[in-house]
Amino acid sequence: MFRSFILALALVFAAVTTAQAASNVAIAPLMQVADKSSLHDAKTKYLDSKFGKDKEKLEKDVKAFQKKAEEFQKQASALSDSARQQKGQELEKEARALEGRRQEFTKKAAPVEQKINQQILEILGKACENYAKANGYDIILDAATVLYASSAANVEEGLIAEVNKIWKERGSKFKL
């Protein structure tokens, strides 16, 4: 029993010491910081310039296919069995071709977007580090992982400014 008491006391002491060591904690919704900063517009602009036409064409073709499929469903009962089967096979073939194009598009675009996202995370990390050091914070946590914090702990606006500053210092371009 005495050992349990000593162990419990040691755990309480360790928890208090840890809490005191990181007493100045801030939170920020990091994905919102990225979305509200210059990074979001730059990412969108870059991806649109690189893949926008292909994406628009694919979306247009998908909508046209959906329209054809809806028309087929409306007319299916009026068609003969052989005509319905033939039209169904044509639609299946077109659907497979569209899916292949979608996969090919994703295969081209995903690595580029992944590289951009990695750079965004690096900038967010550097912004958190700079902001914490400049403002005396021991820790900045992502608000998505925090169950409760007072609004006074939210440093979103300051981080947006820091992200924009770092982005400008890096030449406002992604390195791809």
Side-chain angles (χ1 to χ4, degrees):
M1 173 127 161
F2 184 69
R3 282 186 181 166
S4 298
F5 177 72
I6 296 294
L7 182 60
L9 190 58
L11 287 174
V12 168
F13 179 71
V16 169
T17 304
T18 303
Q20 288 175 345
S23 61
N24 206 0
V25 178
I27 63 158
L30 296 180
M31 293 316 299
Q32 288 179 25
V33 168
D35 287 347
K36 291 178 180 179
S37 72
S38 302
L39 296 174
H40 178 74
D41 292 339
K43 176 183 174 180
T44 301
K45 187 176 179 181
Y46 183 84
L47 291 175
D48 283 349
S49 72
K50 188 104 171 145
F51 304 108
K53 290 179 182 175
D54 292 339
K55 183 179 177 183
E56 287 176 16
K57 172 90 171 98
L58 188 58
E59 288 172 351
K60 182 179 175 184
D61 291 347
V62 167
K63 285 181 182 178
F65 173 77
Q66 288 171 338
K67 188 175 180 181
K68 281 183 188 178
E70 289 171 6
E71 288 174 10
F72 171 68
Q73 286 179 340
K74 291 176 184 176
Q75 299 170 353
S77 61
L79 297 173
S80 67
D81 287 343
S82 63
R84 187 172 38 248
Q85 186 176 12
Q86 181 181 0
K87 186 69 173 171
Q89 288 173 345
E90 289 172 10
L91 286 172
E92 276 186 40
K93 184 177 178 182
E94 191 173 340
R96 282 193 300 273
L98 272 174
E99 179 59 21
R101 286 180 46 215
R102 187 196 63 77
Q103 288 177 356
E104 194 63 35
F105 174 80
T106 301
K107 193 185 287 187
K108 285 190 323 186
V112 174
E113 188 170 10
Q114 189 175 18
K115 287 178 184 178
I116 289 172
N117 288 340
Q118 181 63 37
Q119 291 177 45
I120 289 171
L121 287 174
E122 289 171 9
I123 291 169
L124 284 171
K126 185 67 176 168
C128 287
E129 179 183 343
N130 292 353
Y131 190 83
K133 286 179 180 177
N135 294 285
Y137 288 105
D138 298 316
I139 298 173
I140 297 178
L141 300 172
D142 185 0
T145 61
V146 176
L147 298 176
Y148 172 78
S150 73
S151 60
N154 190 329
V155 295
E156 178 180 358
E157 294 303 318
L159 281 179
I160 292 170
E162 187 63 31
V163 165
N164 289 339
K165 177 181 158 198
I166 292 170
W167 177 243
K168 189 174 182 180
E169 288 171 357
R170 290 188 177 197
S172 300
K173 292 185 180 175
F174 294 108
K175 295 174 178 105
L176 301 170

